[in-house]
Amino acid sequence: MKDWWLYQGTGEAAERRARLEAGPPPPWRDFKGVPDPGYASPGCEGPAWERTWRRGEGYVPDELEKDVVNTALHLRRPLLITGKPGVGKSTLASSIAADLGLGPVLHWPVTSRTVLRDGLYLYDAIGRLQEAGLEQMRTPGAVPPAARAGTAVPAPAPAAAPSGGGPSIARYLRLGPLGTALLPQDRPRVLLVDEIDKSDIDLPGDLLTVFEDGGFVIPELARLGKEAPTVAIGTDDDTEEVVRISQGRVQCRYFPIVVLTSNGERDFPPAFLRRCVRLHLDPPGPDKLARIVRGRLGVDIENSDEYRDLVRSFLERAEDGDLATDQLLNAIQLRLAGAWSAPGDRERFLATVMHHLTGPSA
């Protein structure tokens, strides 16, 4: 263990988390967001936290991984993790959250249709227009003669919600995973941006401003700044657990721990790479696989010829095409349950649970 490590370092999680919170940021990563005193992010309890803890608790990082992760923590920069599918890229995000007790991981899965706004916030404009139409139908005389004649009618101004609730538009807005991660807090949230290499070519560039500013503006709320300077909207954690947004701007206080994963399907622009700390994960070798099996399943393969043979078969099959580590865990779990126990089933067993993800036989 190294003294400067926060992730997987010495000491209890609470002590290392306190060091994380108290550590001074680089001058260029010092943000001034003001927390909403009525809002608290989810803690280390509940179903979402249980999923994060179970996923991250058994992760086995190498020394290099710990060095690079802690570098990103100290610099408060996004962590870009590359590697083949199944090497544990997304699991590392859960490991960071579980090790430091930072609450459930926020998850933003990326596809070719994903745009920046999907991660920042969601606005149900159609639902709001439908409600406005229903309200006109319910209110006698609400539809002016011009509308009945087929001419255009200006859209109604936002109606006021009950006292303290802001305009009705708030009911149709909620923060996305990136927007929720950027809420001003004294400790960071962990955000997993999964498979960013599958995104539209513009998304990495669009993220640069958000990463540099540590915040963003919701235009639909900014336009209402005079009528409703503070509006309460839902978050990605819970649409009912609202947070107050002032003048339509979300500005972080502690930059979130952003973990971006990539399977290497594309290159990223230099400006994007410059703002990230990079980590490449290679497929685990025999020693690391033994530690993973022991951490996940409690099985010491050194004391079992059968499980040692399964690891050897896994590594041999991986030479002909990519395999994921969880395929080995699945194989050992099946054998622990007594499945596929007949000697003649061995080849079919391996072909079933250790099928190649890439290569001629995939």
Side-chain angles (χ1 to χ4, degrees):
M1 300 295 177
K2 301 179 182 179
D3 291 340
W4 65 281
W5 281 357
L6 299 168
Y7 167 67
Q8 295 279 351
T10 56
E12 296 295 327
E15 184 270 334
R16 289 181 287 113
R17 185 173 61 244
R19 288 169 50 203
L20 176 72
E21 296 169 5
W28 53 89
R29 304 298 290 163
D30 190 10
F31 302 107
K32 303 298 184 182
V34 179
D36 173 7
Y39 170 77
S41 62
C44 298
E45 57 185 16
W49 166 248
E50 288 295 328
R51 288 192 296 272
T52 291
W53 187 85
R54 284 198 304 269
R55 184 174 176 83
E57 187 266 341
Y59 187 80
V60 182
D62 292 334
E63 181 176 351
L64 174 62
E65 294 173 46
K66 296 177 187 178
D67 278 338
V68 176
V69 169
N70 283 288
T71 296
L73 295 182
H74 282 284
L75 293 179
R76 305 195 183 186
R77 285 291 188 184
L79 176 64
L80 175 61
I81 307 177
T82 57
K84 295 180 178 180
V87 297
K89 299 186 296 297
S90 59
T91 308
L92 180 52
S94 296
S95 177
I96 296 170
D99 183 64
L100 291 168
L102 296 174
V105 169
L106 293 159
H107 185 206
W108 183 18
V110 174
T111 70
S112 60
R113 298 180 299 276
T114 299
V115 296
L116 178 62
R117 200 181 85 163
D118 297 332
L120 297 177
Y121 70 98
L122 295 89
Y123 174 42
D124 184 9
I126 294 177
R128 184 165 177 246
L129 288 172
Q130 288 175 337
E131 181 181 339
L134 290 173
E135 185 63 29
Q136 284 187 340
M137 293 175 63
R138 287 193 295 263
T139 305
V143 182
R148 291 192 294 269
T151 57
V153 180
S163 178
S168 62
I169 192 174
R171 297 173 53 189
Y172 303 98
L173 278 167
R174 72 175 175 89
L175 294 173
L178 174 56
T180 301
L182 289 169
L183 286 173
Q185 299 282 291
D186 290 324
R187 73 175 56 161
R189 293 292 300 274
V190 178
L191 168 68
L192 171 62
V193 184
D194 214 3
E195 299 190 334
I196 190 171
D197 53 327
K198 287 184 168 55
S199 71
D200 178 87
I201 193 171
D202 293 326
L203 181 60
D206 293 340
L207 283 167
L208 293 181
T209 301
V210 176
F211 286 167
E212 287 301 293
D213 293 347
F216 65 98
V217 171
I218 302 176
E220 291 83 355
L221 295 183
R223 286 194 291 267
L224 300 173
K226 292 183 178 179
E227 297 90 344
T230 301
V231 176
I233 65 175
T235 69
D236 188 67
D237 294 304
D238 186 351
T239 56
E240 301 299 323
E241 184 67 29
V242 297
V243 60
R244 292 184 295 178
I245 307 298
S246 297
Q247 301 297 327
R249 180 161 184 83
V250 176
Q251 177 64 61
C252 76
R253 184 179 182 88
Y254 198 122
F255 190 77
I257 300 170
V258 180
V259 177
L260 308 111
T261 69
S262 168
N263 294 329
E265 296 183 4
R266 59 173 287 191
D267 295 326
F268 298 104
F272 178 79
L273 296 176
R274 181 173 66 85
R275 289 163 172 84
C276 298
V277 176
R278 301 170 67 182
L279 171 65
H280 181 77
L281 295 183
D282 290 316
D287 292 340
K288 186 170 184 178
L289 285 174
R291 286 185 285 133
I292 291 172
V293 171
R294 186 165 55 248
R296 289 290 188 185
L297 300 176
V299 173
D300 189 350
I301 65 173
E302 295 302 321
N303 297 326
S304 170
D305 291 338
E306 178 184 11
Y307 299 135
R308 204 164 47 244
D309 185 55
L310 278 177
V311 172
R312 184 166 52 249
S313 297
F314 176 83
L315 292 171
E316 290 173 353
R317 294 176 69 85
E319 295 176 357
D320 299 324
D322 292 337
L323 296 177
T325 306
D326 63 350
Q327 292 174 291
L328 173 62
L329 297 176
N330 289 338
I332 294 178
Q333 179 63 39
L334 284 167
R335 294 302 298 119
L336 286 171
W340 293 90
S341 57
D345 287 345
R346 175 178 173 76
E347 289 305 315
R348 286 197 297 127
F349 169 53
L350 295 178
T352 299
V353 297
M354 297 185 188
H355 54 86
H356 291 113
L357 307 177
T358 62
S361 62

